[in-house]
Amino acid sequence: MLETGGERLGTDALRVIVDHVRLMLAWNAAINLTAISDPAAVARLHVADSLAGLSTIREGQHATLLDLGSGAGFPGLTLAAVLPTTRVTLVDSVGKKTRFLAVVAESMGLAGRVAVLTARAEALGTGRWDVVTARAVGGLADLVELALPLLAPGGRLIAWKRGELGPELAAAGRAAHALGGSVPTWRPYPEALARAAQLEGHGLVVVRKERATPSGYPRDPGTRKRRPL
Ligand code: SAH
């Protein structure tokens, strides 16, 4: 039984989640989608971990959500399964991953509200998404620079991050200030979920877009590295 922190998953959501994991494990031998192949570990470290963002997402607008660097579909595709009225865009720069994601979305009957883009986030320009999610995609300051231009005013970046962020959170704060975002905050996963899935110490960083992002962002990866904000 999947522990989601007190929430019962509907049968449609569960079917999508289970079929996604099955397809991922079946494709994994050929295209190396994940280092985790034990189904119990996948349930804990991919599925439960993705669902840890659900209550935070539901606290604000979430008609549209973009998952940046979606990889094998976590957290974006799992969230799409449990948020039936949200339009979800999964973005990854690696074609073999987005081909997998497109096959899953199509075969699960989600293609009408789940779009898959093969692109670098830098190339998307600006957007009006309510939520940008990202897990295991680069440093937080980079993520802030990539995500804020994509958000609608009031929209939120929700980044999956373990604790002990110290300097990384401070650098993200400088980037958020420059791009029109709020001071980044870190919060632990909901307690019941963290306990059941043994994910204590894991959490989410939230940055809200408060002002329009000045033009010129995001800068290219080389410039971001040479001139941190
Ligand atoms: N979110 C997934 C995958 C993490 S690996 C998970 O947590 O399991 C990071 C992924 O981000 C890779 O698939 C990589 O191709 C993608 N990525 C990194 N930088 C990116 C960028 N600037 N634009 C789009 N995708 C990016």
Side-chain angles (χ1 to χ4, degrees):
M1 180 64 198
L2 272 171
E3 174 56 65
T4 62
E7 177 156 359
R8 284 193 162 276
L9 294 180
T11 49
D12 283 358
L14 259 182
R15 179 186 58 82
V16 171
I17 288 171
V18 169
D19 287 355
H20 171 206
V21 168
R22 279 208 186 105
L23 279 174
M24 177 180 75
L25 294 176
W27 282 47
N28 206 33
I31 64 164
N32 192 22
L33 289 163
T34 176
I36 303 169
S37 54
D38 168 48
V42 171
R44 196 166 70 75
L45 299 172
H46 283 323
V47 177
D49 194 61
S50 296
L51 293 173
L54 192 54
S55 52
T56 300
I57 290 169
R58 284 194 175 132
E59 280 167 17
Q61 284 280 352
H62 56 277
T64 57
L65 181 153
L66 180 144
D67 188 33
L68 199 163
S70 204
F74 304 104
L77 201 50
T78 310
L79 292 169
V82 295
L83 293 168
T85 59
T86 301
R87 299 189 73 83
V88 173
T89 305
L90 309 173
V91 179
D92 205 286
S93 53
V94 176
K96 67 175 188 179
K97 296 185 180 178
T98 52
R99 277 192 290 283
F100 167 74
L101 294 172
V103 167
V104 178
E106 178 72 37
S107 61
M108 305 295 120
L110 294 176
R113 63 179 185 87
V114 175
V116 180
L117 298 179
T118 311
R120 287 196 63 84
E122 290 87 337
L124 296 177
T126 55
R128 293 191 63 82
W129 275 276
D130 295 322
V131 175
V132 171
T133 54
R135 187 185 80 159
V137 186
L140 206 46
D142 259 1
L143 214 45
V144 165
E145 185 161 344
L146 292 177
L148 277 177
L150 299 173
L151 289 168
R156 293 168 299 155
L157 163 65
I158 303 177
W160 273 236
K161 282 280 174 184
R162 288 198 197 203
E164 300 300 329
L165 288 171
E168 194 180 352
L169 206 54
R174 289 189 290 276
H177 182 74
L179 277 97
S182 65
V183 173
T185 55
W186 184 87
R187 56 162 74 176
Y189 289 175
E191 215 180 307
L193 182 145
R195 200 177 326 108
Q198 296 165 281
L199 295 169
E200 286 99 350
H202 292 237
L204 304 162
V205 172
V206 180
V207 179
R208 180 180 293 275
K209 179 160 175 169
E210 294 183 327
R211 300 175 302 282
T213 298
S215 60
Y217 294 109
R219 300 164 304 157
D220 62 77
T223 311
R224 293 205 300 272
K225 202 169 168 140
R226 272 197 315 280
R227 284 193 260 128
L229 293 165

